Amino acid sequence: MGGEAQQTARNAASQYPKLAEKPVGQRIHNIYRDRLRQFTSGGQYESRNLRSMMYEGRASGKDHVKLSVYSVPDLARPPFNEATSHPFKPTSVGESFGPSWSTHWFQISVTVPSDLQDKKHLEFHWDANNEGLVWSEDGEPLQGLTGGGERIEWILPSGWRDGKEHLFYIEMACNGMFGNALGGDNIQPPGPDRYFKLTTADIVAVNLDARALFVDFWIIGDAAREFPDDSWEEHKALQVANDIMDHFVHGDPESIIKCRKIAQEYLGEKVDSAKVYENGDPAIVFAVGHCHIDSCWLWPWDETKRKVARSWANQCDLLDRYPEHRFVCSQAQQYRWLEQHYPSLYDRVKAKVKAGTFQPIGGSWVEHDTNLPSGESLVRQFLYGQRYFESHFGERSTTFWLPDTFGYSSQIPQLCRLAGMSRFFTQKLSWNNINKFPHTTFNWVALDGTQVLTHMAPAETYTAEAHFGDVKRSVSQHKSMDQDNTSLLVFGKGDGGGGPTFMQIEKLRRCRGLSDKIGLLPRVKMGDSVDDFFARLEKKAELGTKYVTWYGELYFELHRGTYTTQANNKRNNRQSEILMHDLEYLATMATVKGSLDGKDSSFRYPKTDFDEMWEKILLCQFHDCLPGSSIEMCYDDSDEMYAEVFENGQRLLNASLESLGIREYKGLRDENSSDKDGHYPVAFNSLPWSRAEIAKLPSTAESSGSSQYGLLRSEPGLGEVEVLSDTSPTSVASVTEIHKGVFEMSNSEYKALIENGVITSLVDLSLNRELIPKGTKAHQFVLFDDKPLYWQAWDVEVYHLESRQELSSAGASSMSKDGESQGTEGQLSATASATQITERGPHRVSVVVETKISEASWIKTTISLAASIKGHPSYVEFESEVEWHETMKFLKVEFPVDIRNTEASYETQYGIMRRPTHYNTSWDMAKFEVCCHKWVDLSENGYGVSILNDSKYGFATSGNLMRLSLLRAPKAPDAHADMGRHHIRYAIFPHIGGLDSRTIRAAFNFNNPMKVYSMPTSSSTPTSDLLSSIKLTGDPSLVLDAIKRGEDDEDVSRGELSQRKGKSIILRIYDSLGGKSRGIIVTGLLPVKKVWKCNLLEDDEEELALSKDGEVQVELRAFEVATYRLQL
């Protein structure tokens, strides 16, 4: 009874209307969502939407902006003082400037008009659709400009609101952010005559409230578009965005304030400052600013130097304006460029580094390719990079940062740890076009078992725009949630530079505000470093989290053509690496010579020269240079750098040899005497094992014109040269034309049958074993159509294999009377036949095969077999001269062999990768083209065949068919890539038994032929003792790969870091076959006091026992890379 009264009271208190006021319909979702574009887009509504209120005033024209220009001749890029010393001539908006790659300096005088002087925020807007750099009147670089509507603003100093004239400069670069390609496709070759029209040079008063609302609405609109349709968060976003549009009144600034208040319903109240990140709730997405600048790519090296200045000036400005901003940047080379060419900006950067906001990262000289450089080159990338960061900023990197390289070789984790880095960041495998890589955060394990903690950004980019979707994908695409749910979001304009923009930082503030206010979007945080992120992951590992593991290479299922493109550039790389090995070995021995003979030497270790040479080599290993994916201008530059390396290398080589009493070989007066000056020939062996090979001796003016051969035998260092007699050889090679066009060449180990230019039979005589399957042809040149889906210089796609075309020799065979090739040097003779004998033995036999590719392209190959030397490897050698003028073709050479195995072995840096020879799975098939170094081997129980090469990196083994990639012909981004003359050496090396040290050493020998020098007999023994004073004995799998001086020895150091007293020698040794290996370092006569095992940076880690005889026992685990320091 009492309950009835209470019910009546409640009904009476309700404010819910009894009668419906009017019809209210449900919003049509897609219409209200599509409507959002009207508010911020250009087009027919721009004059009435938010864009129309972004600016409160604008001033231009000669009364307010006076322009004059100095156009630099000859495509030069002069520094500020030189450029501004020239006369300037008047110019104006509407003028065009060019051609491509030219530079134009503008002197700009601005006077802020009275009606703008009281405005809250003034900017100068400049847009010529190309890159530029704002300079102060006194020569300080201030702000980079991108053009094309992107980063066109520079904030005017507040002191310029005085109505007076103020002067500054803009350096215009006549290239876009991605070079000068025409037609809208950035990877096409650049046009030489591109001109850029100056469209904007204005003083602008910016409505900061409207700009802020623009960002508010952007993020709320993204939520309405990207949140699930069935979520309340999506519906709320759509409602708030439409309410903003409904309350906006064109021309009414107060309506903008009201709209921002409405936006707070979704974003919260803190998005206008870094306080938005002070909420204590944990974030799982950590945003760091980044600016990836390709050291060369669609622009030349010199333009990169300016890109660095433009980009990093931008970031210094943003770091001042946004306290939460943290900017990471790698590549010690780029810091060096800034230091050299923009010292005041470098000082600004250095101050930011000290403050902890500008964060050097990466630990390498450049963001280098990891497939193609040698092991020692990878070591030097870390050595030079880490030493630069330590000497200039006081710290080494702990994270290897390599987001854009085309695959990651299997020993990178070991080398990282040896260089002081336990962490690795990348994302490039997200580009795989066959299989999706399965992990985000994982332990990457090298061949030796060493691991690094690896993170691949789940947003799948290193140039995120900091959109709502980037934050969302940082979780939705995260593949390692079972172990950890955090991720890095790396944002900022990149590849061509620029870095983060203020708009990107503003968007991230709003994303965080949205997460705190509404939820659903992962919570993002700025202000942490990359090291902070990895430190948390490592802490979890310490507390028991078991991250998944990935063993071996991170094979990139794309860009496989980069193993082959720009062949001469790759050849220069291989040759320069070999040159540096020999130079450092000889210079090291020359500087310790006095320790043996007690005499002071005037020779000094040429550390400055070596550093300059190494830095050029390392720079050319940048991940768009060495792989072959840059424009032609870059290779013109790299050719010059390599030429300087080789020229300086020869000079230093001569100086080192001279200090050791060794000189150029000038030939003998007869077979058993010295030369005219009483010097005798000596063989120089720069490798750490004994060798013997037959070699053609250098010709002299007195020689008869016929080739003279010598048998070179040497332990490490110097050995003897036996001039071989044609009349009484101890071992012979022979060649015979047994039928027309069919040649048989043999030595005591092998017999080969060459028919119509290809090998139809190769028999191991010791086993009477045929190596070429019946009916197949080895050394068969094949041509493929090569039209990838898009990335021409980068990619070769699996379907190219279906276009295989065999190339045949040019015609019937014949021989000249003297066995020499007839026809003009370097050309296919129109009259000479396709195959002919050019050397008849007895020490070496050769047959030349001429192969026509097209009317413009041909191959001339010399197939040779030397007389065998007991106890030393013998192989069939091929030396091909190729004239190449093709379009989108791929040239390879095939070797079918009578060997069966489901895996082939490929040399990689400091180890071996075993890859499938079948296509069982999509992961197997994806490896239809892979990377190798000096050799590839296919072995079965009891027998195997290795293919050796001197400058090639692309290979494939399909079943029992071994295929070496030779040349490509892409037309973008270099229209002339690989066109012209090429010289290629390769060999087929059969061996009884499986893969072992014979292949390892044969490949080293093939790439490092012994040289003949001369010296007086009085000095040959001491010098020989010196050069062989360091030896490595024990398991033949051990390779002594480098001998050099210590970086910080007091007689070597350049003063970057603390010096060490005395002299030391650094040895790099690795296990090459994949098993525990033991050996002995023999130091001979050298006065070694102590021996340390150290890391790649030459920090002492463990002192080793040194016997009285100067011997040190070492033990390496499978594929371990070990560095030892011998203290003299």
Side-chain angles (χ1 to χ4, degrees):
M1 293 183 291
E4 293 175 359
Q6 291 177 353
Q7 183 67 40
T8 302
R10 283 200 298 269
N11 290 341
S14 173
Q15 299 298 312
Y16 177 68
K18 182 176 182 179
L19 300 177
E21 179 183 359
K22 60 183 179 181
V24 177
Q26 184 177 19
R27 288 182 171 179
I28 309 303
H29 208 71
N30 63 310
I31 292 176
Y32 280 82
R33 187 164 55 196
D34 291 346
R35 177 199 183 201
L36 303 185
R37 298 189 182 92
Q38 294 181 3
F39 193 53
T40 55
S41 65
Q44 61 180 333
Y45 299 114
E46 183 174 359
S47 63
R48 307 298 292 177
N49 67 15
L50 181 60
R51 282 182 176 271
S52 67
M53 296 185 66
M54 298 290 281
Y55 306 117
E56 299 175 320
R58 185 179 293 267
S60 59
K62 294 182 179 179
D63 291 341
H64 309 294
V65 181
K66 296 178 182 178
L67 304 176
S68 57
V69 65
Y70 164 59
S71 295
V72 182
D74 303 323
L75 305 185
R77 297 175 175 87
F80 177 87
N81 289 335
E82 180 185 341
T84 55
S85 69
H86 291 275
F88 285 68
K89 65 178 183 180
T91 190
S92 62
V93 171
E95 293 293 321
S96 294
F97 301 90
S100 305
W101 312 117
S102 62
T103 298
H104 304 266
W105 282 80
F106 292 84
Q107 188 181 74
I108 304 171
S109 298
V110 296
T111 304
V112 178
S114 58
D115 62 329
L116 297 184
Q117 290 175 16
D118 293 331
K119 298 298 182 182
K120 187 175 181 181
H121 185 81
L122 295 182
E123 296 176 349
F124 183 76
H125 286 195
W126 173 275
D127 197 349
N129 200 35
N130 57 14
E131 292 194 86
L133 180 60
V134 180
W135 293 79
S136 69
E137 184 177 7
D138 58 354
E140 290 293 319
L142 301 175
Q143 170 76 50
L145 302 170
T146 300
E150 179 71 53
R151 209 181 322 244
I152 64 171
E153 75 286 339
W154 173 56
I155 300 174
L156 290 177
S158 58
W160 288 17
R161 301 164 180 262
D162 54 5
K164 297 180 181 179
E165 201 171 71
H166 296 274
L167 182 70
F168 65 100
Y169 294 88
I170 290 181
E171 177 190 14
M172 174 193 284
C174 283
N175 54 266
M177 183 62 79
F178 293 95
N180 278 312
L182 303 178
D185 185 349
N186 285 335
I187 72 163
Q188 295 306 307
D193 295 312
R194 188 179 177 191
Y195 280 74
F196 297 85
K197 185 177 182 179
L198 177 60
T199 59
T200 306
D202 299 344
I203 301 170
V204 179
V206 179
N207 184 332
L208 293 181
D209 289 326
R211 181 179 278 176
L213 179 60
F214 184 91
V215 189
D216 292 344
F217 193 84
W218 188 337
I219 296 303
I220 297 171
D222 279 352
R225 285 181 287 267
E226 297 196 37
F227 273 155
D229 287 349
D230 60 355
S231 67
W232 72 263
E233 294 90 346
E234 187 268 352
H235 286 264
K236 177 70 172 177
L238 190 60
Q239 176 188 341
V240 170
N242 275 275
D243 285 352
I244 290 172
M245 294 183 70
D246 292 340
H247 283 81
F248 172 77
V249 179
H250 174 69
D252 181 7
E254 290 302 315
S255 73
I256 292 177
I257 305 300
K258 293 177 183 177
C259 290
R260 291 217 68 205
K261 194 73 174 176
I262 296 170
Q264 290 178 4
E265 297 177 22
Y266 207 80
L267 302 178
E269 301 175 357
K270 298 180 179 180
V271 296
D272 291 327
S273 76
K275 292 181 179 179
V276 71
Y277 297 110
E278 294 177 2
N279 186 317
D281 294 333
I284 60 173
V285 179
F286 297 88
V288 292
H290 177 51
C291 177
H292 180 69
I293 305 177
D294 287 318
S295 291
C296 74
W297 182 30
L298 304 176
W299 50 87
W301 306 96
D302 284 344
E303 194 56 44
T304 306
K305 299 170 186 176
R306 301 201 294 190
K307 283 177 176 286
V308 170
R310 292 190 286 258
S311 302
W312 294 6
N314 294 339
Q315 299 316 305
C316 286
D317 172 63
L318 289 175
L319 291 169
D320 289 335
R321 292 159 57 190
Y322 292 92
E324 73 268 33
H325 185 31
R326 298 293 180 270
F327 178 68
V328 299
C329 207
S330 64
Q331 305 195 74
Q333 172 69 85
Q334 294 185 3
Y335 290 85
R336 167 69 61 79
W337 281 336
L338 195 74
E339 181 185 11
Q340 292 172 333
H341 301 289
Y342 301 89
S344 63
L345 179 55
Y346 174 79
D347 289 340
R348 286 179 68 193
V349 167
K350 196 167 185 179
K352 302 295 184 188
V353 172
K354 187 175 182 180
T357 54
F358 195 117
Q359 298 168 348
I361 200 167
S364 58
W365 189 247
V366 294
E367 287 189 14
H368 53 90
D369 179 79
T370 75
N371 288 316
L372 308 174
S374 68
E376 190 61 30
S377 284
L378 295 180
V379 169
R380 301 308 172 97
Q381 288 285 355
F382 291 142
L383 180 68
Y384 279 82
Q386 290 285 51
R387 287 179 64 84
Y388 185 90
F389 289 139
E390 182 179 9
S391 62
H392 288 71
F393 305 120
E395 290 185 355
R396 297 171 177 174
S397 295
T398 59
T399 301
F400 184 32
W401 184 270
L402 207 60
D404 192 32
T405 293
F406 312 149
Y408 305 92
S409 58
S410 53
Q411 288 285 50
I412 291 295
Q414 181 181 184
L415 300 182
C416 282
R417 296 303 292 263
L418 290 170
M421 294 179 284
S422 60
R423 306 145 176 182
F424 177 54
F425 173 83
T426 186
Q427 64 80 49
K428 196 65 175 182
L429 267 62
S430 66
W431 284 40
N432 279 5
N433 69 346
I434 297 180
N435 298 286
K436 196 75 172 175
F437 190 77
H439 309 305
T440 292
T441 301
F442 59 98
N443 289 318
W444 180 23
V445 185
L447 295 178
D448 76 316
T450 302
Q451 66 181 5
V452 289
L453 185 54
T454 301
H455 182 72
M456 295 188 182
E460 297 186 348
T461 181
Y462 53 90
T463 58
E465 290 285 350
H467 290 324
F468 175 99
D470 292 321
V471 177
K472 180 184 174 185
R473 285 186 290 274
S474 295
V475 169
S476 64
Q477 296 180 165
H478 200 301
K479 306 182 190 74
S480 301
M481 289 290 193
D482 291 345
Q483 292 80 40
D484 182 80
N485 63 354
T486 64
S487 65
L488 281 175
L489 175 60
V490 180
F491 72 96
K493 304 289 183 178
D495 292 333
T501 66
F502 78 88
M503 190 69 77
Q504 292 172 343
I505 299 174
E506 293 284 354
K507 284 190 290 181
L508 287 172
R509 284 180 173 180
R510 284 150 179 83
C511 286
R512 176 55 184 263
L514 186 160
S515 300
D516 288 338
K517 183 73 174 181
I518 300 296
L520 192 57
L521 184 69
R523 189 171 279 109
V524 66
K525 185 176 187 292
M526 288 187 67
D528 283 7
S529 68
V530 173
D531 284 345
D532 293 333
F533 173 79
F534 274 107
R536 286 189 291 268
L537 294 178
E538 289 179 347
K539 186 65 176 178
K540 288 189 69 172
E542 291 175 13
L543 296 175
T545 297
K546 302 295 184 183
Y547 296 111
V548 297
T549 54
W550 184 274
Y551 284 78
E553 67 180 334
L554 295 172
Y555 177 80
F556 185 36
E557 295 179 1
L558 203 67
H559 295 0
R560 303 167 185 87
T562 58
Y563 311 145
T564 305
T565 309
Q566 299 288 1
N568 284 331
N569 193 58
K570 291 174 168 61
R571 180 183 179 87
N572 284 337
N573 175 72
R574 179 83 63 89
Q575 291 181 339
S576 65
E577 291 171 336
I578 292 169
L579 172 65
M580 293 307 300
H581 169 275
D582 291 358
L583 280 174
E584 290 179 331
Y585 165 49
L586 286 170
T588 296
M589 294 297 101
T591 57
V592 299
K593 182 170 177 281
S595 300
L596 269 67
D597 60 17
K599 300 177 182 177
D600 289 334
S601 172
S602 61
F603 183 84
R604 294 291 179 266
Y605 195 78
K607 184 67 164 61
T608 299
D609 289 308
F610 284 175
D611 285 349
E612 290 175 355
M613 294 166 72
W614 266 119
E615 287 171 10
K616 287 183 172 71
I617 295 167
L618 300 178
L619 174 58
C620 290
Q621 290 171 352
F622 177 74
H623 68 254
D624 275 309
C625 182
L626 183 54
S629 50
S630 291
I631 61 173
E632 187 173 10
M633 297 172 73
C634 299
Y635 297 106
D636 292 340
D637 291 343
S638 67
D639 285 347
E640 289 184 13
M641 282 188 269
Y642 281 123
E644 292 169 1
V645 167
F646 295 136
E647 181 180 353
N648 290 333
Q650 189 59 52
R651 174 179 57 83
L652 296 171
L653 185 68
N654 292 340
S656 299
L657 292 170
E658 183 180 353
S659 71
L660 294 167
I662 305 171
R663 71 178 199 181
E664 180 185 0
Y665 172 77
K666 297 181 179 179
L668 302 178
R669 289 179 292 185
D670 58 59
E671 293 185 359
N672 299 305
S673 64
S674 65
D675 65 12
K676 295 178 180 179
D677 299 321
H679 284 63
Y680 288 82
V682 291
F684 173 61
N685 171 22
S686 63
L687 298 178
W689 44 73
S690 62
R691 299 168 61 186
E693 60 190 45
I694 293 174
K696 187 180 294 186
L697 300 179
S699 59
T700 64
E702 291 81 10
S703 63
S704 62
S706 60
S707 299
Q708 188 177 42
Y709 282 92
L711 175 58
L712 282 53
R713 293 183 183 271
S714 180
E715 296 294 318
L718 296 181
E720 63 182 17
V721 176
E722 176 188 349
V723 180
L724 296 175
S725 167
D726 288 353
T727 57
S728 55
T730 56
S731 179
V732 299
S734 64
V735 61
T736 306
E737 185 172 14
I738 57 176
H739 303 294
K740 188 174 180 61
V742 180
F743 300 83
E744 182 182 277
M745 61 169 53
S746 63
N747 61 15
S748 62
E749 295 187 26
Y750 305 113
K751 180 173 68 175
L753 206 62
I754 302 167
E755 186 172 358
N756 294 326
V758 296
I759 298 176
T760 56
S761 173
L762 179 60
V763 177
D764 184 329
L765 297 175
S766 65
L767 300 178
N768 193 29
R769 174 168 178 155
E770 175 63 65
L771 303 179
I772 309 301
K774 185 176 181 180
T776 65
K777 295 170 286 187
H779 193 249
Q780 172 67 63
F781 289 113
V782 287
L783 198 65
F784 299 86
D785 288 334
D786 190 14
K787 300 181 183 71
L789 296 175
Y790 176 66
W791 300 96
Q792 282 197 48
W794 294 259
D795 287 349
V796 57
E797 294 294 353
V798 66
Y799 53 76
H800 88 287
L801 295 171
E802 298 172 17
S803 63
R804 178 180 178 274
Q805 173 192 351
E806 292 187 0
L807 300 178
S808 57
S809 57
S813 68
S814 70
M815 294 171 288
S816 60
K817 291 182 180 179
D818 58 2
E820 295 295 331
S821 173
Q822 295 179 335
T824 306
E825 174 69 22
Q827 298 179 350
L828 282 187
S829 170
T831 57
S833 22
T835 307
Q836 54 191 325
I837 297 173
T838 55
E839 287 188 288
R840 296 178 173 279
H843 312 298
R844 182 184 179 93
V845 295
S846 299
V847 169
V848 167
V849 178
E850 297 177 350
T851 305
K852 183 177 181 180
I853 301 172
S854 68
E855 292 301 319
S857 304
W858 49 260
I859 311 168
K860 183 183 288 186
T861 303
T862 301
I863 306 174
S864 302
L865 184 65
S868 58
I869 305 170
K870 187 176 181 180
H872 294 272
S874 180
Y875 41 71
V876 181
E877 181 179 345
F878 308 87
E879 186 165 356
S880 292
E881 181 181 18
V882 186
E883 185 69 18
W884 181 247
H885 297 281
E886 297 300 303
T887 297
M888 301 179 194
K889 297 291 184 181
F890 201 152
L891 178 66
K892 307 185 185 187
V893 63
E894 295 180 342
F895 294 90
V897 293
D898 191 16
I899 302 289
R900 293 288 172 182
N901 200 322
T902 57
E903 288 183 330
S905 299
Y906 299 78
E907 186 193 33
T908 188
Q909 303 97 337
Y910 299 132
I912 298 169
M913 280 306 302
R914 292 179 174 87
R915 301 184 177 110
T917 61
H918 54 78
Y919 299 151
N920 282 1
T921 70
S922 60
W923 292 89
D924 299 326
M925 191 169 184
K927 296 178 181 178
F928 62 85
E929 180 85 3
V930 296
C931 184
C932 70
H933 277 239
K934 297 184 292 294
W935 59 264
V936 176
D937 184 82
L938 183 62
S939 291
E940 62 187 22
N941 181 43
Y943 207 90
V945 172
S946 301
I947 304 296
L948 318 178
N949 78 83
D950 78 334
S951 60
K952 296 296 154 187
Y953 297 90
F955 207 94
T957 307
S958 178
N960 67 335
L961 180 64
M962 307 178 76
R963 186 188 294 122
L964 177 65
S965 297
L966 301 179
L967 293 169
R968 298 184 69 226
K971 298 305 174 187
D974 178 0
H976 306 106
D978 283 319
M979 297 299 99
R981 191 66 56 87
H982 298 269
H983 297 272
I984 309 164
R985 290 177 61 241
Y986 45 97
I988 181 169
F989 172 49
H991 52 84
I992 298 173
L995 172 64
D996 58 23
S997 62
R998 291 170 297 171
T999 290
I1000 307 295
R1001 295 185 175 189
F1004 269 102
N1005 294 351
F1006 189 74
N1007 279 264
N1008 297 262
M1010 284 197 282
K1011 299 177 179 66
V1012 178
Y1013 294 111
S1014 68
M1015 61 187 308
T1017 53
S1018 60
S1019 62
S1020 61
T1021 300
T1023 302
S1024 180
D1025 291 343
L1026 172 65
L1027 293 180
S1028 63
S1029 58
I1030 298 175
K1031 293 181 180 179
L1032 178 63
T1033 64
D1035 290 339
S1037 59
L1038 291 175
V1039 176
L1040 173 55
D1041 197 42
I1043 299 176
K1044 62 183 287 290
R1045 289 294 306 277
E1047 293 289 315
D1048 297 313
D1049 290 356
E1050 58 186 353
D1051 65 325
V1052 170
S1053 169
R1054 300 175 66 189
E1056 312 102 305
L1057 298 170
S1058 299
Q1059 295 185 5
R1060 276 196 180 106
K1061 292 184 178 180
K1063 295 181 178 182
S1064 65
I1065 298 174
I1066 302 296
L1067 309 180
R1068 196 105 53 225
I1069 298 172
Y1070 72 96
D1071 167 64
S1072 63
L1073 289 173
K1076 182 172 288 188
S1077 301
R1078 295 183 176 90
I1080 298 174
I1081 300 172
V1082 180
T1083 62
L1085 303 176
L1086 292 176
V1088 177
K1089 298 177 181 177
K1090 292 184 177 182
V1091 177
W1092 294 83
K1093 189 174 185 180
C1094 54
N1095 60 22
L1096 300 184
L1097 307 182
E1098 301 177 13
D1099 302 321
D1100 294 340
E1101 293 186 338
E1102 176 189 1
E1103 186 175 359
L1104 304 181
L1106 177 66
S1107 74
K1108 294 180 180 180
D1109 297 328
E1111 295 183 350
V1112 181
Q1113 294 187 4
V1114 297
E1115 180 178 285
L1116 277 67
R1117 63 184 176 273
F1119 293 125
E1120 181 183 358
V1121 181
T1123 304
Y1124 302 93
R1125 189 174 72 85
L1126 313 183
Q1127 181 69 53
L1128 305 186

